[in-house]
């Protein structure tokens, strides 16, 4: 279950420009500050884009790509101020207020799924082909 306080921490990305810059430049170090722990043997990189040309945030759609032992997974962090970014990430608009925990819960759930998927890929590669 996703903790409400951790979900609310996602708002920091969109309210603290310095933190957003740090997230984009060093996601592996910044993600744990918002409740997303990256395994030490995994790397994280960020691909940012605009959800729409008029979006306030630059970027307004952050894609986090996780890589480990030849496997990869990804999740999205769209701005709550950008319905276009949310639709691009999820196919729906979840929130319009920066402090709405619904978006934070979705981001954390997506991150958990991405990390689980990455771990499963690594296990499958370590086990090798089935006999």
């Amino acid at each position: 279950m996703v903790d409400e306080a951790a979900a609310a921490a996602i708002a920091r990305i969109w309210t603290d420009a310095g933190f957003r810059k740090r997230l984009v430049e060093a996601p592996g170090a910044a993600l744990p500050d918002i409740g997303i722990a990256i395994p030490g043997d995994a790397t994280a990189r960020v691909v940012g884009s605009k959800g729409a040309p008029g979006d306030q945030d630059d970027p307004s759609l952050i894609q986090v790509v996780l890589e480990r032992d030849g496997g990869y997974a990804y999740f999205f962090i769209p701005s709550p101020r950008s319905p276009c970014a949310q639709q691009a990430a999820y196919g729906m608009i979840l929130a319009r207020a920066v402090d709405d925990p619904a978006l934070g819960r979705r981001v954390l759930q997506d991150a958990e799924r991405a990390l689980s998927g990455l771990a499963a890929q690594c296990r499958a590669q370590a086990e090798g082909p089935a006999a």
Side-chain angles (χ1 to χ4, degrees), residues 8-104:
I10 300 297
R12 181 175 178 202
I13 296 167
W14 309 108
T15 58
D16 181 342
F19 181 74
R20 184 169 52 249
K21 182 176 191 271
R22 186 172 148 239
L23 173 68
V24 169
E25 292 175 354
L31 287 168
D33 290 351
I34 57 170
I36 301 172
I38 304 300
D41 60 345
T43 59
R45 62 184 169 89
V46 164
V47 179
S49 64
K50 288 283 206 176
D55 282 351
Q56 299 173 33
D57 300 309
D58 187 19
S60 59
L61 179 61
I62 295 172
Q63 179 182 9
V64 179
V65 180
L66 306 169
E67 297 169 307
R68 181 177 170 204
D69 297 332
Y72 76 95
Y74 59 89
F75 62 93
F76 294 100
I77 308 173
S79 169
R81 294 184 284 245
S82 175
C84 291
Q86 290 178 52
Q87 285 184 312
Y90 305 133
M92 68 181 102
I93 301 168
L94 289 174
R96 291 181 188 258
V98 77
D99 60 350
D100 189 332
L103 183 64

